[in-house]
Amino acid sequence: MVHRCCNKQKVKRGLWSPEEDDKLLRHITAHGHGTWSSVPKLAGQSLLLSLLNAGLQRCGKSCRLRWINYLRPDLKRGSFTAQEERAIIDIHRILGNRWSQIAKHLPGRTDNEIKNFWNSCIKKKLIEQGLDPNTHNLLHSSHGHHKLTGNSSSSSKSNSGSIFPVFQIDNALARELKVPVVALPSVVPSYDHASSVAPLPPMQTAYDYHDHSFTDMEQHPSAPILNPLVNSLVTGESCNWNMEGEVSMSAKHDGNDHQLKQHVGDPNNNGAVHSIDVPMEGGPGFDFAQYVDLLQLPWGMLSNLSDPIDQLTWG
DNA sequence: AAAACTATCAACCGCCCGCTG
DNA sequence: TCAGCGGGCGGTTGATAGTTT
């Protein structure tokens, strides 16, 4: 039987054996994949042990899929973290089922993996919460027994019908998604100076800002999202995250003393090429805008956000 | 212990798009 | 301009492992 996609007579299907994986891995490691359609033949020829056979009995598409979803060295193994799950939900709200686009924002994860996770896990969770997994809006009341809690009412102004507000995205992501940059929420807090306990922002998103347990900037999945930084400056909590794998920033808070460190990654230098430490006086009177130039924030991501920046100014 | 059910995930299919001759 | 091809993508399937009855 001729395989439809490549017209090969003898094409093996089904699960890959360790031997097949080995052939493919060695070939691509040594020569790159070139054109995928030629990989099956060349992968066999590149191994002494396989001189007697005709190479991989697989079609090029199958080789490509196996490499991308399983053999690639930069893949992250293991379960999705809570941060990754939230990031997927947030990005899916904007992108929908564009799994490959979503995967670009989750380093080490494949579109297939994210798609499976969505279909087997996240989808059900959203439905249980009374949310339509396609639109992220509330399902009709006849459908579920969900309940609205907390500050959900304040969120409805930006995303009518959803218990989650539209999350905030930077300019670069906005360009990529071809959507306008969403104005940051009003985060003028009633700061309790006496107790030194920073209030929660009036607008909470699906992203749990207060889970800052992650410490590895390179691993944080919500790279494109500006909110954690903004929120950390408002609440006085710590925040580390990574942007596009090239720009990492952190905000450390110690009382009202804040530091923001910027690392600009250099893909040719495998890391930061420079960093700056910026002391920041947070709390009432803190003006985020004055730090924008100093921080040399990437992509001019705040340049069109004058209103939100104003909203970040206390006092 | 075994059958039934559920969850997970690797892999395939078919469609679409961009490139090339 | 257009047909052929390769690659990429989203939807779907089917195998397997785990759990429940």
Side-chain angles (χ1 to χ4, degrees), chain A residues 76-89:
Chain A
K76 189 191 286 182
R77 308 285 182 185
S79 305
F80 282 86
T81 65
Q83 285 80 29
E84 286 176 314
E85 180 178 335
R86 283 188 287 266
I88 291 169
I89 294 170

Side-chain angles (χ1 to χ4, degrees), chain A residues 6 23 47 60 73 75 92 103 106 155 157 165 167 180 199 203 208 223 233 235 259 290 295 298 302-303:
Chain A
C6 56
K23 280 184 189 177
L47 278 174
L75 286 179
H92 183 277
L106 290 145
S155 69
K157 71 176 181 180
F167 86 128
M203 214 173 180
D208 180 4
L233 293 174
T235 64
Q259 282 196 327
Q290 67 176 295
L295 290 171
L302 296 177
S303 60

